[in-house]
Amino acid sequence: MHAFDVLRDPVRRRILELLAEGEHASGEVAAVIEREFAITQAAVSQHLKVLRDSGFATVRADGARRIYAVNSDPLQDVDAWLDRFRRFWEPKLDALETEIARGRRKRT
Amino acid sequence: MHAFDVLRDPVRRRILELLAEGEHASGEVAAVIEREFAITQAAVSQHLKVLRDSGFATVRADGARRIYAVNSDPLQDVDAWLDRFRRFWEPKLDALETEIARGRRKRT
DNA sequence: CGTTTATATTAGTGAATACTTAAATCAGGG
DNA sequence: CCCTGATTTAAGTATTCACTAATATAAACG
C-alpha cells in the first residue's frame, strides 16, 4: 500500500496526529476517534492495522494492551516526494540556507 | 476533495511531476501518461479535471490547446501538515538552523 | 463550410475499501 | 479455571472512484 493511499483516510491522519504527540494504547486512540468520527472500536482497530502494515506505526505489547507509536519513515518519503515542488514556495535560498536545508533532510 | 485524496492516485502524482518540470499542454501530458500507464486520453483528461478542481493545477487556453501548470498551494498545505512529524527525522537544529528552517516556511 | 485536430464530458461498469456486527484471541485477576 | 477487559479478525455490504467507449465542443485550416 502506497504512503498516499494510507494518508488519504482522515481517520488515519488523525490517528497519526495523536501518535505524533506520543505513544498511545489502542483503546486510547479508539476513545478519541470513536468520539470524533462516530465509528466503532473495530473500525479503529482496522485502521491501526493499516498503519502497522504500511509501516506508519509500530506496536508493542503491554499486558493485554497494545501500545502504538508513530514510525516516521513513510512520512519522510512523502516529504522527499514534495522536494521537487519546494522551489515553488521557497524561491531563493542563499548558499548557507541551501546547505542547511539540504542537511536537514540528508542528515540522520 | 482533500489534498490527500488527490495525491492518492499514482497517475495524478505523475502528472504533477511532469508539471513540476514546466507547463505542458493536455495532449503532451496525455502522451506520456498513456504510454506509462496504458490508459486512454479521456482518463487523463478526467485526472486533469480533478487536479484543476482541487487547485493543484491551473489552465490557460492556447488556441485549441489547454496549457496546464502546477499550483503549489495545496502541496504546501501537505508540507505544513508534515511539520508536526519533522522532529522525528530532524532531531536537533541549533538556533541558527531553526531560525532559517522556520524562515523557509514562513517567508513568502 | 466540412474536415481534422485537440480536448472535455457523459454514462455505465468493475474493483477497491471503509464500515458494521459478530466472533475469536488473549492477558489478568478472583 | 472462569470471567472480564482489551484488542483483533472475519464476513458481508454499500459507496466511492478510476476506467472505457462514445459523444460533444471547439479551434484551425483547406
Side-chain angles (χ1 to χ4, degrees), chain A residues 4-62:
Chain A
F4 281 109
D5 289 314
V6 177
L7 294 179
R8 179 193 177 243
D9 192 282
V11 171
R12 287 195 287 265
R13 287 198 301 274
R14 183 71 182 108
I15 292 175
L16 287 173
E17 289 171 10
L18 293 173
L19 296 182
E21 299 166 2
E23 297 186 331
H24 287 293
S26 173
E28 293 167 352
V29 172
V32 175
I33 300 295
E34 284 183 70
R35 175 161 43 76
E36 291 183 359
F37 292 85
I39 63 176
T40 64
Q41 177 270 328
V44 175
S45 180
Q46 285 164 2
H47 282 300
L48 285 169
K49 177 174 171 51
V50 171
L51 292 173
R52 262 185 280 132
D53 292 350
S54 58
F56 280 82
T58 58
V59 186
R60 67 183 163 82
D62 172 31

Side-chain angles (χ1 to χ4, degrees), chain B residues 21-86:
Chain B
E21 298 166 2
E23 296 186 332
H24 287 294
S26 173
E28 293 167 352
V29 172
V32 175
I33 299 295
E34 283 183 69
R35 175 162 43 76
E36 292 184 0
F37 292 85
I39 62 177
T40 63
Q41 175 269 326
V44 176
S45 180
Q46 286 163 2
H47 282 301
L48 286 170
K49 177 176 172 50
V50 171
L51 292 173
R52 261 185 281 131
D53 292 350
S54 58
F56 280 82
T58 57
V59 185
R60 67 184 162 81
D62 172 32
R65 305 198 313 162
R66 292 292 175 275
I67 312 296
Y68 283 83
V70 67
N71 176 16
S72 65
D73 292 358
L75 292 161
Q76 209 171 338
D77 293 343
V78 170
D79 194 52
W81 185 80
L82 287 175
D83 281 349
R84 78 198 71 206
F85 302 101
R86 289 233 158 72

